[in-house]
Amino acid sequence: MGLFPYPSQVHSHEESLKDMDGRYNREMTRLNKMLLQLEGELVQVRMQVERHVDDYQELLHVKMKLEAEIENYRSRMHDIAPDDSVDFSLEQAVNCGKYWTSALLNHLI
């Protein structure tokens, strides 16, 4: 047999190595593309989360202002009728609010 089978085996192994190297490179290219896509999606998700946090903070600020305004109206209503047993109807509450709004406007003018 001699040395002749060895060059063909070497050639066969070289071809297998080239084939394996090509598959490896294609897989790495595919994975790198996937990684870039996922990084882009992550950037978008982070931006959305930041917008949601900003929106939440703004809504929380509005809620706190509204709660303070409600408490202000409650204290004014309590000044008008300090007896806690007195219940106001919705119409009475609206009229009271109109009264205070009118009084405030007249005071400012």
Side-chain angles (χ1 to χ4, degrees), residues 37-79:
Q37 178 185 355
L38 290 172
E39 286 175 342
E41 289 175 15
L42 180 60
V43 167
Q44 290 177 351
V45 168
R46 282 183 177 156
M47 288 176 13
Q48 287 176 343
V49 167
E50 287 175 9
R51 279 194 303 270
H52 288 203
V53 167
D54 290 344
D55 290 347
Y56 175 79
Q57 290 295 332
E58 185 177 334
L59 287 172
L60 183 61
H61 184 69
V62 169
K63 177 184 178 262
M64 291 169 59
K65 281 183 163 183
L66 288 173
E67 287 174 343
E69 187 71 21
I70 289 169
E71 186 56 37
N72 186 21
Y73 277 111
R74 279 188 184 146
S75 68
R76 289 181 181 183
M77 298 281 280
H78 185 66
D79 291 344

Side-chain angles (χ1 to χ4, degrees), residues 18-35:
K18 285 180 186 177
D19 184 48
M20 191 183 312
D21 190 44
R23 285 191 309 240
Y24 172 79
N25 287 333
R26 286 189 297 277
E27 184 66 11
M28 288 303 292
T29 299
R30 185 185 72 81
L31 292 173
N32 281 330
K33 285 180 183 178
M34 186 185 302
L35 182 62

Side-chain angles (χ1 to χ4, degrees), residues 1-12:
M1 284 184 84
L3 296 176
F4 292 110
Y6 293 114
S8 65
Q9 285 179 345
V10 169
H11 180 69
S12 174

